[in-house]
Amino acid sequence: MRTVIVGAGPAGISAAAELAKRKPWEEIIMLSEDEFPYSRCMLHQYLSGERKEQQLSFTEADFMERRDINFRGKVKVSSVDIGKNRVLTDKGPVEYDKLLLAAGAAYTLPPVPNFRNAKNVYGFRDLKDAKAIKEACISAKRVLIVGSGLVGMDVAYALLSYPLDITVVEMASRILPLQTDEVCARRYQTLFENAGIHFRLGVGASDTVMDAEDNIREVILSDGSSVPCDVIVAAAGVRPRVSILGNADIFVNRGIQVDDYMRTSCPNVYAAGDITGLSGIWPNAMEQGRIAAVNMAGGCEAYTDRFCTKNTSNFFGLPMLSVGSVGADGDNYTVLTQETPRLYKKLILRDDYVIGALFQGDLAGTGIWQYLIKNKIDVSKVEKSLFQISIADFHCFDEDARKSRLESVVKLI
Ligand SMILES: Cc1cc2nc3c(=O)[nH]c(=O)nc-3n(C[C@H](O)[C@H](O)[C@H](O)COP(=O)(O)OP(=O)(O)OC[C@H]3O[C@@H](n4cnc5c(N)ncnc54)[C@H](O)[C@@H]3O)c2cc1C
């Protein structure tokens, strides 16, 4: 029996580890465009010069050998031939009995004139993007970052180590609009501004001025103003890399559609990670990969994390955790906050359930919020401040025991 895994990100790697554990005798082939498995979350540290290329790896050096995984890097999959149970690659076809598609996502360029054809517009998803930006920034003076989500702000933070004039353009009224609220975003914005970064909020890039060498020299914003630039980094969205399917008859919604067991619409073909469009974060990709592997190996485990998003960041030594719906506001919600100059805590409740948690400054003991939100625990019986509930109340990691302990603590307090 041969399993082929496409992708060596967290989804592919955790799937390979689980498969090798459950069925060590089966042949596992891993195909990846990446030369070696590396963490995209650390790419900004490569860009800033904090890490070298080899320090981006997130697996042990002998990960593949120890598990007898046939890793084939620098291989590009172009399509899946379902009729013949094989994937087509630039190095020839590879047959499978079971297939896991874990090729992640690709950045998208906003629909601004010339963004697609200009030579100085970059995305930030792969190591090759980080290398290209690094190279371009050696001779550049002015960088424009379009989008202030986590990727855009990672790039801005990394480029602080270059002698550059940096501007961030964001259509929303605050930076990190999906992960923060006004208070939290404002604190980060002030730190970035103190470090010299300029922000243009509430406006979008709408047009460009090109030079004779096909470089964009100026970006015109929706309010009619313009920003001169030598390098543009587009950090305004990603989409699941469903292009690897070619014409394969596999159901695609936003990403490759999977059921709770990470099965696609095609027998023996599974998908996990960003390519499914279920979420765009590392821990979820790992968990989806693991669950896909359990089911590919004949087990039966469902993925239940579909509706809980979690983001963490740390800029200028100020950490932030954002879980669930942190921007929810209005009559249907109860919002609790605690604020000091360095700390900010916010909980959003609908009826008797916490649906969002935002912490900035001190993340100690915040692990509990993802659990409460994900498992929709009724907190109406809690009589002391919700901010005092702590993960320290839960001393073991067994899910059932943890759950019953949590429920009893919630009832007691
Ligand atoms: C700059 C940046 C910062 C991030 N920061 C965070 C963070 O702080 N926290 C967090 O939780 N998440 C973060 N993320 C998101 C996180 O990295 C992704 O959710 C995660 O990597 C998804 O894992 P994956 O295995 O699905 O895909 P990926 O990690 O994208 O891996 C995809 C794999 O598929 C391979 N591949 C793609 N196309 C082909 C092809 N045609 N043929 C063969 N192989 C192919 C690639 O080479 C790669 O090995 C960040 C992402 C970026 C880009």
Side-chain angles (χ1 to χ4, degrees):
M1 177 79 90
R2 175 193 276 185
T3 295
V4 172
I5 297 173
V6 180
I13 290 290
S14 69
E18 187 68 29
L19 269 171
K21 193 166 76 187
R22 288 178 176 251
K23 295 207 162 173
W25 56 89
E26 283 188 7
E27 185 184 9
I28 302 172
I29 297 178
M30 179 175 276
L31 308 173
S32 165
E33 244 188 310
D34 296 338
E35 192 177 346
F36 66 96
Y38 62 80
S39 165
R40 279 154 177 83
C41 307
M42 291 189 231
L43 279 181
H44 63 287
Q45 293 178 326
Y46 172 80
L47 185 59
S48 68
E50 257 176 276
R51 280 177 194 261
K52 296 197 184 344
E53 189 171 329
Q54 294 308 323
Q55 293 173 307
L56 299 175
S57 175
F58 66 99
T59 56
E60 321 90 85
D62 60 352
F63 176 90
M64 304 293 173
E65 296 78 55
R66 278 207 291 129
R67 293 167 178 81
D68 209 13
I69 295 164
N70 180 344
F71 176 73
R72 301 181 191 170
K74 291 172 133 177
V75 173
K76 181 167 182 161
V77 172
S78 54
S79 63
V80 181
D81 181 349
I82 289 170
K84 293 190 174 148
N85 281 9
R86 59 182 192 165
V87 292
L88 304 183
T89 83
D90 57 353
K91 309 267 165 42
V94 181
E95 291 178 4
Y96 64 80
D97 295 300
K98 288 199 173 158
L99 174 65
L100 175 66
L101 299 169
Y107 67 80
T108 55
L109 293 177
V112 180
N114 298 315
F115 264 37
R116 259 168 226 295
N117 49 301
K119 287 188 194 151
N120 61 339
V121 177
Y122 303 86
F124 192 65
R125 177 77 202 183
D126 301 326
L127 182 54
K128 65 176 183 313
D129 302 324
K131 286 184 176 177
I133 296 172
K134 210 170 185 173
E135 174 77 27
C137 284
I138 293 171
S139 55
K141 289 196 170 55
R142 298 157 307 184
V143 175
L144 176 65
I145 299 169
V146 179
S148 75
L150 279 176
V151 172
M153 295 318 296
D154 269 358
V155 173
Y157 196 57
L159 292 183
L160 284 173
S161 53
Y162 296 64
L164 291 166
D165 185 62
I166 303 166
T167 302
V168 178
V169 175
E170 167 59 57
M171 284 179 83
S173 59
R174 62 171 184 268
I175 65 168
L176 297 162
L178 297 179
Q179 297 82 15
T180 64
D181 68 354
E182 289 297 339
V183 177
C184 176
R186 167 51 61 187
R187 288 176 181 215
Y188 273 147
Q189 187 181 335
T190 303
L191 293 173
F192 275 100
E193 283 172 341
N194 290 345
I197 299 219
H198 314 289
F199 289 97
R200 300 298 313 275
L201 304 180
V203 285
S206 59
D207 207 350
T208 53
V209 177
M210 300 277 276
D211 67 11
E213 277 84 45
D214 287 337
N215 290 301
I216 294 173
R217 289 297 169 204
E218 236 177 279
V219 171
I220 317 293
L221 305 182
S222 50
D223 63 356
S225 63
S226 68
V227 183
C229 52
D230 305 311
V231 168
I232 296 169
V233 180
V238 294
R239 73 163 164 262
R241 233 185 281 240
V242 295
S243 54
I244 64 156
L245 292 177
N247 293 324
D249 190 13
I250 292 181
F251 196 78
V252 171
N253 202 336
R254 198 176 105 66
I256 295 179
Q257 184 148 323
V258 287
D259 65 11
D260 286 348
Y261 304 91
M262 310 315 294
R263 294 179 296 209
T264 70
S265 59
C266 180
N268 297 320
V269 181
Y270 294 69
D274 285 8
I275 200 169
T276 65
L278 287 179
S279 81
I281 58 170
W282 184 278
N284 291 7
M286 283 200 74
E287 181 64 354
Q288 289 169 25
R290 187 190 69 76
I291 286 175
V294 168
N295 296 314
M296 290 168 90
C300 181
E301 191 173 331
Y303 179 67
T304 55
D305 237 352
R306 285 179 187 245
F307 304 107
C308 191
T309 53
K310 175 183 157 194
N311 285 288
T312 51
S313 60
N314 191 338
F315 298 114
F316 304 99
L318 183 65
M320 191 254 312
L321 168 83
S322 158
V323 190
S325 313
V326 296
D329 210 348
D331 292 346
N332 296 332
Y333 304 98
T334 306
V335 178
L336 309 173
T337 55
Q338 280 188 354
E339 214 175 322
T340 69
R342 282 292 290 180
L343 293 181
Y344 181 56
K345 301 178 179 182
K346 177 177 181 180
L347 296 173
I348 297 116
L349 290 92
R350 188 170 51 212
D351 302 325
D352 296 324
Y353 303 92
V354 181
I355 60 159
L358 180 59
F359 286 76
Q360 192 180 34
D362 179 12
L363 307 189
T366 51
I368 190 173
W369 298 110
Q370 191 179 8
Y371 182 80
L372 286 179
I373 294 170
K374 179 184 153 194
N375 294 293
K376 298 189 175 74
I377 305 283
D378 180 344
V379 294
S380 60
K381 307 277 188 307
V382 179
E383 282 173 5
K384 65 180 178 181
S385 163
L386 274 183
F387 289 117
Q388 285 168 17
I389 295 183
S390 156
I391 198 75
D393 293 317
F394 315 105
H395 49 73
C396 83
F397 288 97
D398 174 80
E399 199 60 14
D400 288 330
R402 219 156 68 105
K403 193 172 173 191
S404 65
R405 170 111 181 100
L406 175 63
E407 280 163 356
S408 63
V409 168
V410 169
K411 273 177 205 137
L412 273 172
I413 49 184

